[in-house]
């Protein structure tokens, strides 16, 4: 497929149709809705606003579209999902994270369905797929980020219940979620971790506002468990499978975060070309200067390289191959390359690019964050080397 900043998928008519319809929804409905309600990337979102997006996206067939048909989706391949995720952030829509169900929606639960009992599927997971409930995933702690085995949140068996004690931080979607998937260490053990479905209105469970990350997005929350008693039936999978459930999801997420970063870089490129075309410097458009030409060329090359790597890895995952090394490579390269694109965009915008409220400035902060989120650059390098050697 020839390189274009706005890709077409003529070799896949079904995907091309989805992309065209998604672009139309974003441009004609979602972005005008955001402007009418003053919603930006840094707006503190309420449940009513999000449910509006979930409902409309479901009506259009986008919400949970990557899930298998038996779960209400269209069974998209990873490659097709990557294409849609890039389009979402490339649009600049502040609520793009809720169209497919990334933030608290079906993409959060799709990977764990195989571990759930029939009762858990019907009570917890399927309502999320239908847009009736929302969930968050809680594994990170203040002293247990990349080194998850340092977690101190414990689960103590007590009759037909488990008692959770501890604190989780940086749980995306926690402020508006109904339940959490919590990974905790089994009390009295050093290496046994289990996952639990926890209703957030359970006595002893407290949802606190989390720290606002440098992106300014207010979608994180902390969960505090003070002798929080949950039914034994809420154990997800088997005792000791918690890290497999958590880390397995994180590995896949590392790949699936990448097209969103590429889309944000593409948005920064578009904004830079538009600004450089209209900004007059020394009697001619900024874009006429060779130095700016070079920056535009370098930015496009970074996007091309990242997209090619991600789509090749997604195709390998679609064949059922193990992509743990490649997923880390993709996240490593894409997070760094996308940030370089954003940095160039700020440079092209000059003073405007340094100003709060400018979209390029917000993209810069957001992409800087993803050199740490879901694994730091250094952690990815460690994982790549370990996987190869």
């Amino acid at each position: 497929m020839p390189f274009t900043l706005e890709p077409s998928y003529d070799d896949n008519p079904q995907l091309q149709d989805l992309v065209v319809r998604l672009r139309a929804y974003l441009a004609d409905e979602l972005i005008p809705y955001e402007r009418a309600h003053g919603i930006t990337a840094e707006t503190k979102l309420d449940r009513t606003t999000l449910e509006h997006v979930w409902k409309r996206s479901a009506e259009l067939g986008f919400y949970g579209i990557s899930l298998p048909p038996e779960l209400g989706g269209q069974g998209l391949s990873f490659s097709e999902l990557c294409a849609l995720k890039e389009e979402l952030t490339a649009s600049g829509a502040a609520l793009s994270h809720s169209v497919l169900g990334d933030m608290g929606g079906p993409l959060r639960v799709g990977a764990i369905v195989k571990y759930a009992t029939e009762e858990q599927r019907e009570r917890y997971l399927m309502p999320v797929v239908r847009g009736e409930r929302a969930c968050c995933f809680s594994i990170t702690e203040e002293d247990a980020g990349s080194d998850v085995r340092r977690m101190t949140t414990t689960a103590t068996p007590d009759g037909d219940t488990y008692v959770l004690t501890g604190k989780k931080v940086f749980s995306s979607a926690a402020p508006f979620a109904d339940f959490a998937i919590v990974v905790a260490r089994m009390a009295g053990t050093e290496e046994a971790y289990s996952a639990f479905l926890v209703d957030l209105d359970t006595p002893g469970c407290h949802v606190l506002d989390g720290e606002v990350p440098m992106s300014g997005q207010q979608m994180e929350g902390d969960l505090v468990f003070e002798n929080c008693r949950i039914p034994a039936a809420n154990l997800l999978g088997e005792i000791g499978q918690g890290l497999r459930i958590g880390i397995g999801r994180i590995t896949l997420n590392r790949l699936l975060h990448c097209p969103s970063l590429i889309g944000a870089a593409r948005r920064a490129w578009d904004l830079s070309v538009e600004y450089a075309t209209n900004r007059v410097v020394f009697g001619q458009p900024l874009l006429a200067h060779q130095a700016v030409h070079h920056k535009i060329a370098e930015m496009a090359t970074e996007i091309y390289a990242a997209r090619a790597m991600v789509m090749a890895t997604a195709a390998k995952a679609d064949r059922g191959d193990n992509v743990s090394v490649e997923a880390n490579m993709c996240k490593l390269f894409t997070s760094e390359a996308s940030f370089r694109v954003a940095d160039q965009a700020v440079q092209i915008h000059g003073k405007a690019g340094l100003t709060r409220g400018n979209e390029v400035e917000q993209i810069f902060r957001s992409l800087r964050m993803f050199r740490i989120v879901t694994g730091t650059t250094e952690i990815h390098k460690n994982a790549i080397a370990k996987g190869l050697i």
Side-chain angles (χ1 to χ4, degrees):
M1 182 176 67
F3 173 73
T4 58
L5 265 298
E6 184 179 273
S8 62
Y9 301 92
D10 296 333
D11 58 333
N12 187 336
Q14 178 187 8
L15 175 59
Q16 180 63 15
D17 176 67
L18 287 173
V19 168
V20 170
R21 291 197 293 112
L22 180 60
R23 288 172 180 164
Y25 166 56
L26 295 168
D28 300 340
E29 292 190 44
L30 186 57
I31 292 175
Y33 172 81
E34 293 174 354
R35 289 172 179 165
H37 292 81
I39 297 171
T40 70
E42 301 188 34
T43 299
K44 188 169 185 177
L45 302 173
D46 57 55
R47 184 65 176 258
T48 301
T49 298
L50 292 168
E51 286 180 343
H52 169 83
V53 181
W54 300 344
K55 180 179 178 180
R56 182 57 178 150
S57 297
E59 290 173 350
L60 296 172
F62 293 120
Y63 201 65
I65 191 172
S66 62
L67 297 178
E70 59 269 24
L71 293 178
Q74 296 184 29
L76 294 193
S77 66
F78 291 119
S79 301
E80 291 167 332
L81 178 59
C82 285
L84 297 185
K85 287 172 71 71
E86 179 182 328
E87 292 301 321
L88 287 168
T89 48
S91 72
L95 297 173
S96 62
H97 49 66
S98 294
V99 174
L100 302 182
D102 273 296
M103 189 56 60
L107 295 193
R108 290 276 169 177
V109 302
I112 65 169
V113 169
K114 62 184 177 181
Y115 296 102
T117 64
E118 187 61 32
E119 180 182 356
Q120 290 172 344
R121 285 177 55 156
E122 292 305 314
R123 180 178 177 184
Y124 289 97
L125 307 188
M126 293 310 297
V128 173
V129 172
R130 295 191 295 266
E132 299 166 0
R133 304 189 79 192
C135 72
C136 64
F137 195 94
S138 299
I139 188 169
T140 302
E141 298 183 8
E142 290 179 350
D143 294 322
S146 298
D147 186 3
V148 296
R149 288 178 170 81
R150 283 180 56 84
M151 72 172 67
T152 59
T153 298
T154 58
T156 304
D158 185 15
D160 59 355
T161 67
Y162 289 97
V163 179
L164 294 182
T165 302
K167 181 180 180 181
K168 297 293 183 179
V169 301
F170 218 61
S171 295
S172 299
F176 50 83
D178 298 289
F179 68 93
I181 301 159
V182 180
V183 178
R185 181 172 56 82
M186 301 303 296
T189 73
E190 293 296 330
E191 290 293 329
Y193 305 87
S194 300
F196 303 89
L197 297 164
V198 182
D199 291 291
L200 296 184
D201 59 357
T202 302
C205 175
H206 309 283
V207 182
L208 309 178
D209 287 338
E211 294 180 315
V212 178
M214 66 188 300
S215 67
Q217 295 168 301
Q218 302 184 59
M219 298 181 295
E220 312 296 333
D222 296 346
L223 303 183
V224 178
F225 305 104
E226 297 177 325
N227 295 315
C228 176
R229 192 176 295 272
I230 61 171
N234 283 27
L235 172 70
L236 183 63
E238 299 176 1
I239 292 176
Q241 282 190 320
L243 288 187
R244 181 184 303 175
I245 293 171
I247 301 301
R249 173 187 168 278
I250 289 172
T251 299
L252 181 60
N253 267 10
R254 285 174 175 170
L255 172 62
L256 295 179
H257 270 307
C258 293
S260 298
L261 307 185
I262 294 167
R266 188 174 126 196
R267 177 66 176 169
W269 189 94
D270 287 336
L271 292 168
S272 297
V273 171
E274 179 183 4
Y275 182 83
T277 300
N278 296 315
R279 173 71 166 172
V280 176
V281 179
F282 300 117
Q284 58 182 340
L286 187 61
L287 192 60
H289 294 269
Q290 187 182 57
V292 176
H293 273 191
H294 288 177
K295 291 185 183 301
I296 293 297
E298 290 167 358
M299 293 161 73
T301 301
E302 298 270 30
I303 293 170
Y304 178 41
R307 183 190 288 156
M309 177 181 285
V310 168
M311 294 305 275
T313 301
K316 185 175 181 180
D318 287 332
R319 295 192 296 269
D321 296 339
N322 185 319
V323 295
S324 57
V325 170
E326 291 89 338
N328 279 285
M329 287 179 170
C330 286
K331 174 58 168 49
L332 166 65
F333 182 81
T334 301
S335 61
E336 297 286 338
S338 296
F339 179 71
R340 289 193 293 268
V341 171
D343 187 54
Q344 294 278 41
V346 170
Q347 198 72 14
I348 289 172
H349 279 74
K351 177 181 176 297
L354 303 176
T355 307
R356 291 297 296 266
N358 185 290
E359 189 176 351
V360 158
E361 186 268 347
Q362 198 281 327
I363 292 173
F364 175 90
R365 285 185 284 116
S366 179
L367 288 176
R368 177 60 184 89
M369 189 172 73
F370 276 95
R371 293 168 64 194
I372 294 176
V373 173
T374 71
T376 66
T377 290
E378 294 73 23
I379 286 294
H380 293 313
K381 290 178 180 179
N382 290 345
I384 293 165
K386 182 178 179 181
L388 293 175
I389 299 173

